[in-house]
Amino acid sequence: AQSVTQPDIHITVSEGASLELRCNYSYGATPYLFWYVQSPGQGLQLLLKYFSGDTLVQGIKGFEAEFKRSQSSFNLRKPSVHWSDAAEYFCAVGGDSGGGADGLTFGKGTHLIIQP
Amino acid sequence: GAVVSQHPSRVICKSGTSVKIECRSLDFQATTMFWYRQFPKQSLMLMATSNEGSKATYEQGVEKDKFLINHASLTLSTLTVTSAHPEDSSFYICSARTAGQRNTIYFGEGSWLTVV
């Protein structure tokens, strides 16, 4: 069965500092990997995704993530955070059972707090 | 980008009644839709996958008779929570993909259900 682990429930970062959110996955085949951001009471916004190819993926809002197969990781990074980045971040994994992307398995999320 | 709209965004219903949540793809044909549930401050859990014109496939532990999913057209899927109980109160989010972009998933804004 597939699973996603986000080991950090909360992370506090000073504005302007760099950020790395960890994500480890378990999946039996080549995974599709996603990072989403969710503001309180809102839906999900896709930050970036990895299907194949270059293992360093660029996303929106200055985020990037690197797929490391040997470590089963897909960590999210940003060189300099802004106060507006404070939100809940979810890593998700899925696959393709033949008809297209399957439903996703989400991690439990990491709550990002930005200190002034 | 493609838009997935959910309605209502918030709904309050009495225990024992049924409530329907709609998920619409506004500018593309959604051959497959997914329904997720999110408890407050928790992760998203996949409930079911529905393909247009077919019966939905439910994840283990999800009661199909309680959570009725209909995907009668390429732009609309509905989730009906039957005989609602307070423990059904949750945030329900749908997502959709199209045959032309099989690996691209679009999420709706979510629907808050409160059962009193």
Side-chain angles (χ1 to χ4, degrees), chain A residues 12 14 30 35 42 44 47 51 55-56 66 77 83-84 86-87 95 97 106 108 110-111 116:
Chain A
T12 301
S14 298
T30 300
W35 274 101
Q42 303 294 314
L44 299 177
L47 290 175
F51 290 152
T55 56
L56 184 61
E66 186 171 10
R77 300 193 294 253
W83 64 268
S84 60
S97 56
F106 284 82
K108 294 188 175 182
T110 296
H111 186 62

Side-chain angles (χ1 to χ4, degrees), chain A residues 6 21 23 34-36 46-48 74 76 89-91:
Chain A
Q6 293 180 247
L21 301 182
C23 172
F34 305 80
W35 274 101
Y36 290 91
L46 177 67
L47 290 175
L48 46 78
F74 189 58
L76 181 72
Y89 290 79
F90 291 97
C91 179

Side-chain angles (χ1 to χ4, degrees), chain A residues 38 42-44, chain B residues 6 21 23 34-38 44-47 79 91-95 106-111:
Chain A
Q38 184 180 38
Q42 303 294 314
L44 299 177
Chain B
Q6 285 186 237
I21 300 171
C23 177
F34 307 92
W35 286 94
Y36 295 83
R37 181 176 183 177
Q38 184 181 29
L44 288 82
M45 301 295 293
L46 179 65
M47 299 175 67
L79 167 67
F91 191 50
Y92 293 89
I93 307 178
C94 72
S95 67
Y106 303 97
F107 276 84
E109 316 98 321
S111 299

Side-chain angles (χ1 to χ4, degrees), chain A residues 27-91:
Chain A
Y27 192 76
T30 300
Y32 296 159
L33 293 158
F34 305 80
W35 274 101
Y36 290 91
V37 61
Q38 184 180 38
S39 296
Q42 303 294 314
L44 299 177
Q45 182 180 25
L46 177 67
L47 290 175
L48 46 78
K49 59 187 178 184
Y50 171 80
F51 290 152
S52 63
D54 193 347
T55 56
L56 184 61
V57 181
Q58 301 298 319
I60 63 170
K61 302 184 177 185
F63 286 94
E64 67 176 27
E66 186 171 10
F67 171 57
K68 293 185 177 180
R69 185 187 299 274
S70 61
Q71 298 177 20
S72 297
S73 69
F74 189 58
N75 295 347
L76 181 72
R77 300 193 294 253
K78 186 170 184 178
S80 177
V81 298
H82 186 262
W83 64 268
S84 60
D85 293 324
E88 193 79 17
Y89 290 79
F90 291 97
C91 179

